[in-house]
Amino acid sequence: MRWRPCSVSARSWVSANMNEALIYPPQIELVSDHACLLTFAESINDAAADVIALVTKALRNCEGIIDLVPSYTTLLVVFDTDHYDRFKITNKIKTLANKIELNSTNTSARREVVIPVYYAPEVGPDLEEVASQCNLTIDEVIKLHSETAYRAYAIGFAPGFAFLGNTPEAIRMPRKTTPRLKVPLGSVAIAEQQTAVYPSVTPGGWQILGRTPVQLVDWQSDSLALIEVGDTVRFEPITREEFLAQGGQLDGF
């Protein structure tokens, strides 16, 4: 079943700057007896990312909600039906979502995360191939990748793994046909229009350009992950010496 908040009629709000449609108030659909899905847009855009971040923040301390999973155009809300009535929680979600002021979603309010990266073949084994396939020099690939401001649209796959967009079109590459069995911690990689940093050692098929010495997951902190949905992320090239001085490791492949 799909419904919309009744206190305010649903409408399509269009960003004057981006001319991209935002569904607000969001469409709300029960997807199980303990979760509902809020849909904010039909396609990926910054306006939707801004509002999803605001609604996620507003719902974070809502009684009865046990998990929030923001994505590119949606927000999955998981609630505790053992102790709370799901319909009351859903109505509370509608009310809170309705209170969000769209004019509060502006770029100046976004948090910026700067991640130092050592771009080099010894830690970025796909850097040379990306340059060759894109008819660019290695320096040009590094420049294009590091001079782009990315948005964190979703967190998934592994704790702290942020899906960042959009990678410059000139260096977009598909995933590898055969994924690596082990991608080292801190690897900075691209796949199609997305960029990501591997927060832990996992299998992966993205094209690896370099590595950061920064830990993306802090298990002792409340927020857990360095990058959160809605953040702006920039990559800052550093030298091999700076990488090692900041605790970077060269092994892993």
Side-chain angles (χ1 to χ4, degrees), residues 119-121 127-129 131-132 136-143:
Y119 294 94
L127 182 59
E128 292 177 321
E129 182 179 356
S132 176
L136 298 168
T137 66
I138 287 179
D139 286 344
E140 287 172 332
V141 171
I142 295 171
K143 180 179 175 64

Short mmCIF file of all heavy atoms in Angstrom, two decimals, residues 119-121 127-129 131-132 136-143:
data_model
loop_
_atom_site.label_atom_id
_atom_site.label_comp_id
_atom_site.label_asym_id
_atom_site.label_seq_id
_atom_site.Cartn_x
_atom_site.Cartn_y
_atom_site.Cartn_z
N TYR A 119 48.02 8.77 -4.77
CA TYR A 119 47.72 8.19 -6.07
C TYR A 119 49.01 7.66 -6.67
O TYR A 119 49.93 8.45 -6.99
CB TYR A 119 47.15 9.25 -7.01
CG TYR A 119 45.80 9.83 -6.65
CD1 TYR A 119 45.68 11.00 -5.90
CD2 TYR A 119 44.61 9.23 -7.09
CE1 TYR A 119 44.44 11.56 -5.60
CE2 TYR A 119 43.37 9.78 -6.80
CZ TYR A 119 43.29 10.94 -6.06
OH TYR A 119 42.06 11.50 -5.76
N ALA A 120 49.12 6.36 -6.84
CA ALA A 120 50.31 5.78 -7.44
C ALA A 120 50.04 4.31 -7.76
O ALA A 120 49.25 3.66 -7.08
CB ALA A 120 51.49 5.89 -6.49
N PRO A 121 50.70 3.75 -8.79
CA PRO A 121 50.47 2.35 -9.16
C PRO A 121 50.74 1.35 -8.05
O PRO A 121 50.11 0.29 -8.01
CB PRO A 121 51.44 2.15 -10.34
CG PRO A 121 51.54 3.52 -10.95
CD PRO A 121 51.54 4.45 -9.78
N LEU A 127 45.43 2.41 -11.87
CA LEU A 127 45.63 3.81 -12.27
C LEU A 127 46.15 3.92 -13.70
O LEU A 127 45.65 4.72 -14.50
CB LEU A 127 46.59 4.49 -11.29
CG LEU A 127 46.89 5.97 -11.52
CD1 LEU A 127 45.61 6.81 -11.49
CD2 LEU A 127 47.87 6.48 -10.47
N GLU A 128 47.15 3.13 -14.03
CA GLU A 128 47.73 3.19 -15.38
C GLU A 128 46.73 2.72 -16.44
O GLU A 128 46.64 3.33 -17.53
CB GLU A 128 48.99 2.34 -15.43
CG GLU A 128 50.14 2.91 -14.59
CD GLU A 128 51.37 2.04 -14.60
OE1 GLU A 128 51.20 0.80 -14.55
OE2 GLU A 128 52.48 2.58 -14.65
N GLU A 129 45.96 1.69 -16.15
CA GLU A 129 44.99 1.20 -17.12
C GLU A 129 43.86 2.20 -17.34
O GLU A 129 43.41 2.40 -18.47
CB GLU A 129 44.40 -0.14 -16.66
CG GLU A 129 43.42 -0.72 -17.68
CD GLU A 129 42.87 -2.06 -17.24
OE1 GLU A 129 43.29 -2.58 -16.19
OE2 GLU A 129 41.99 -2.59 -17.96
N ALA A 131 44.12 5.42 -17.07
CA ALA A 131 44.70 6.49 -17.88
C ALA A 131 44.77 6.07 -19.36
O ALA A 131 44.40 6.83 -20.26
CB ALA A 131 46.09 6.85 -17.36
N SER A 132 45.21 4.83 -19.59
CA SER A 132 45.35 4.34 -20.96
C SER A 132 43.99 4.22 -21.65
O SER A 132 43.82 4.68 -22.79
CB SER A 132 46.04 2.97 -20.94
OG SER A 132 46.10 2.42 -22.24
N LEU A 136 44.31 9.43 -21.38
CA LEU A 136 44.81 10.50 -20.53
C LEU A 136 46.14 10.09 -19.91
O LEU A 136 46.51 8.91 -19.92
CB LEU A 136 43.81 10.79 -19.39
CG LEU A 136 42.41 11.26 -19.79
CD1 LEU A 136 41.48 11.20 -18.59
CD2 LEU A 136 42.46 12.68 -20.36
N THR A 137 46.86 11.07 -19.37
CA THR A 137 48.05 10.75 -18.60
C THR A 137 47.61 10.44 -17.17
O THR A 137 46.49 10.78 -16.75
CB THR A 137 49.03 11.93 -18.58
OG1 THR A 137 48.43 13.03 -17.87
CG2 THR A 137 49.39 12.37 -20.00
N ILE A 138 48.51 9.82 -16.41
CA ILE A 138 48.21 9.53 -15.01
C ILE A 138 47.93 10.83 -14.25
O ILE A 138 47.00 10.91 -13.44
CB ILE A 138 49.36 8.75 -14.35
CG1 ILE A 138 49.37 7.30 -14.87
CG2 ILE A 138 49.24 8.77 -12.83
CD1 ILE A 138 50.48 6.45 -14.33
N ASP A 139 48.73 11.85 -14.52
CA ASP A 139 48.53 13.14 -13.85
C ASP A 139 47.16 13.74 -14.16
O ASP A 139 46.53 14.36 -13.30
CB ASP A 139 49.63 14.12 -14.23
CG ASP A 139 50.97 13.80 -13.58
OD1 ASP A 139 50.98 13.02 -12.60
OD2 ASP A 139 52.00 14.31 -14.04
N GLU A 140 46.70 13.56 -15.41
CA GLU A 140 45.39 14.09 -15.78
C GLU A 140 44.27 13.34 -15.06
O GLU A 140 43.28 13.95 -14.63
CB GLU A 140 45.21 14.00 -17.30
CG GLU A 140 46.04 15.01 -18.07
CD GLU A 140 46.00 14.79 -19.57
OE1 GLU A 140 45.80 13.62 -20.01
OE2 GLU A 140 46.18 15.77 -20.32
N VAL A 141 44.42 12.02 -14.91
CA VAL A 141 43.43 11.24 -14.17
C VAL A 141 43.36 11.70 -12.72
O VAL A 141 42.28 11.92 -12.16
CB VAL A 141 43.76 9.73 -14.23
CG1 VAL A 141 42.84 8.94 -13.28
CG2 VAL A 141 43.63 9.20 -15.64
N ILE A 142 44.53 11.87 -12.11
CA ILE A 142 44.59 12.32 -10.72
C ILE A 142 43.96 13.70 -10.57
O ILE A 142 43.18 13.96 -9.63
CB ILE A 142 46.05 12.35 -10.22
CG1 ILE A 142 46.62 10.93 -10.19
CG2 ILE A 142 46.16 13.01 -8.85
CD1 ILE A 142 48.11 10.86 -9.92
N LYS A 143 44.25 14.58 -11.49
CA LYS A 143 43.72 15.94 -11.44
C LYS A 143 42.19 15.94 -11.54
O LYS A 143 41.50 16.59 -10.75
CB LYS A 143 44.33 16.78 -12.57
CG LYS A 143 43.85 18.24 -12.61
CD LYS A 143 44.53 18.98 -13.76
CE LYS A 143 44.00 20.39 -13.91
NZ LYS A 143 44.30 21.23 -12.74
#
